[in-house]
Amino acid sequence: FGPFRQFLVNPSWKAAQRLKLVGLGERTDVYIKEVPVSYVKTQQIIAELWQTLTPKLAVHLGVARASNVVILEQTGKNSGYSDKDVRGFCPESHCCVEGGPEKLDSVINMRAVSREFKQAGKDVIYSRDAGR
């Protein structure tokens, strides 16, 4: 994501740039895109990316204001959004995606991934309750 609140450069964007630089092996292409912290615009951009790139895997990165560690989210939630985006907009329904499912679960076992990172000495937290 792009700049938001006190983050002139969003830490999630820095992480994505680093991932692109390091890569994920020769057989894996890493595509990164900085998207605005905007309910409407982000949905449009993500939909276009899925159609044009047809990825086998997508990783969405965000920032949690009060966190100084990486949080691996197993489940994304659609409701409970009350913050305004960079354009001052918040959906009346407080849903990120109107008509979308209440939750999306990753097919990746984030608990196992977090254990691997912890064993490598990284400060990582596993979560089933994504921030909103």
Side-chain angles (χ1 to χ4, degrees), residues 3-116:
F4 187 58
R5 294 192 180 117
Q6 74 268 25
F7 301 103
L8 297 179
V9 176
N10 196 313
S12 66
W13 178 236
K14 288 182 183 179
Q17 290 173 315
R18 180 75 177 137
L19 180 61
K20 174 75 174 174
L21 184 65
V22 172
L24 293 173
E26 291 180 21
R27 295 180 20 184
T28 305
D29 292 327
V30 176
Y31 176 86
I32 62 172
K33 173 111 176 128
E34 184 181 41
V35 295
V37 180
S38 164
Y39 292 100
V40 174
K41 192 67 177 165
T42 296
Q43 286 181 44
Q44 292 169 349
I45 292 169
I46 298 302
E48 289 170 10
L49 290 175
W50 275 98
Q51 286 182 348
T52 57
L53 299 176
T54 60
K56 294 180 181 167
L57 172 71
V59 177
H60 298 252
L61 304 173
V63 64
R65 278 183 286 189
S67 181
N68 59 356
V69 299
V70 172
I71 303 171
L72 296 176
E73 302 289 2
Q74 189 67 54
T75 304
K77 308 265 176 87
N78 190 29
S79 62
Y81 289 84
S82 57
D83 288 347
K84 292 182 178 178
D85 64 16
V86 294
R87 296 180 174 162
F89 175 76
C90 180
E92 281 185 34
S93 66
H94 300 284
C95 288
C96 187
V97 179
E98 290 289 336
E102 175 52 33
K103 66 178 189 160
L104 288 175
D105 290 304
S106 176
V107 297
I108 298 170
N109 183 339
M110 291 301 185
R111 188 182 307 271
V113 172
S114 69
R115 279 195 297 264
E116 292 291 325

